[in-house]
Amino acid sequence: MCATIRPALLALGAVAALALSLTACDDGSGTQNSGAADTSTSSAAASGSASASAAGSSSASSAGGGTSTSGGGGSSSATGGGGVTAACTAKNTSVTFLQSSGHASDAQAAATLKITNSSGAPCTIVGPTTVAADDDQGKASPVSGDNSEAGSDAVDVPAGATVVADVLYNDVNNEGTESARYTCPVQASRVKVGLPKDAGTTVNVMKADGSPGGVFSVCGTDFKVGAFAAR
């Protein structure tokens, strides 16, 4: 009888131990799965937060970059806006040459050279301006003069404005007869005026009052051109 009961008790004990083991295994597995899910969810949330933060930082950086670029462009435009004034040349000016209103006596005769800015923008004269004259009959050597000594600093000429320089010369022939007193070797009805760095332009000599028919009568080998000034 005792021998029959002992195997039965052993069998019951084994079943109970097996049940406890299975229960402990299920609990451990469930706990681990729950922890993994929580860890995964936390990681996903942290990752999303980091992505959002990075996106915000990138957006702010782009906005800042746009402001910097805009500011740089404005500065460049402002610098480029300060253009250099064009030089006065035969293309953007007109030239008038008036003979002296009187003959030389103790002082020299004074012709008038006018440079008018005929363009719609200011221009500047920098450097010496030359005047050259040939005798109409070709009986004397050409004569010329410039304003390198009198003053050739930069002179700005507004659109439509005129600057004037005196041309000092001698038109009295002290060696000739009384009738030829005012007849000089060079009798020029035209003169060539060359602005700085310009090929020059040839114009008719006008009378002192601006009417046609003037003569630039030069006794001597040269003459002097004065500095330009507004008048």
Side-chain angles (χ1 to χ4, degrees), residues 199-214:
T201 183
T202 300
V203 296
N204 293 327
V205 177
M206 311 299 286
K207 292 182 179 180
D209 61 4
S211 61

Side-chain angles (χ1 to χ4, degrees), residues 103 171-184 187:
H103 293 291
D171 67 345
V172 176
N173 187 352
N174 294 321
E175 297 179 356
T177 63
E178 188 66 27
S179 60
R181 183 173 176 80
Y182 301 118
T183 302
C184 295
Q187 299 283 315

Side-chain angles (χ1 to χ4, degrees), residues 55-68:
S57 175
S58 175
S59 175
S61 176
S62 297
T67 302
S68 175

Side-chain angles (χ1 to χ4, degrees), residues 1-224:
M1 183 70 177
C2 290
T4 302
I5 294 173
R6 181 173 293 180
L9 291 174
L10 292 173
L12 289 173
V15 171
L18 178 61
L20 289 173
S21 176
L22 291 175
T23 301
C25 181
D26 289 342
D27 291 344
S29 175
T31 301
Q32 289 175 1
N33 289 341
S34 175
D38 291 343
T39 302
S40 176
T41 301
S42 176
S43 298
S47 176
S49 175
S51 297
S53 176
S57 175
S58 175
S59 175
S61 176
S62 297
T67 302
S68 175
T69 301
S70 174
S75 176
S76 176
S77 175
T79 302
V84 178
T85 304
C88 295
T89 66
K91 294 182 179 180
N92 57 13
T93 63
S94 61
V95 178
T96 303
F97 191 91
L98 306 173
Q99 72 176 49
S100 177
S101 58
H103 293 291
S105 54
D106 294 335
Q108 290 178 305
T112 303
L113 173 62
K114 295 182 177 182
I115 305 295
T116 301
N117 183 350
S118 56
S119 72
C123 68
T124 186
I125 302 174
V126 184
T129 295
T130 62
V131 177
D134 291 334
D135 178 55
D136 290 346
Q137 303 300 319
K139 296 180 179 180
S141 298
V143 292
S144 64
D146 61 45
N147 62 352
S148 58
E149 293 184 4
S152 55
D153 292 338
V155 177
D156 293 328
V157 188
T162 299
V163 291
V164 179
D166 292 328
V167 179
L168 304 178
Y169 65 104
N170 180 20
D171 67 345
V172 176
N173 187 352
N174 294 321
E175 297 179 356
T177 63
E178 188 66 27
S179 60
R181 183 173 176 80
Y182 301 118
T183 302
C184 295
V186 175
Q187 299 283 315
S189 59
R190 294 166 65 82
V191 295
K192 184 176 183 179
V193 178
L195 291 169
K197 300 179 182 180
D198 189 67
T201 183
T202 300
V203 296
N204 293 327
V205 177
M206 311 299 286
K207 292 182 179 180
D209 61 4
S211 61
V215 176
F216 186 42
S217 179
V218 182
C219 291
T221 58
D222 58 9
F223 51 86
K224 295 180 180 180

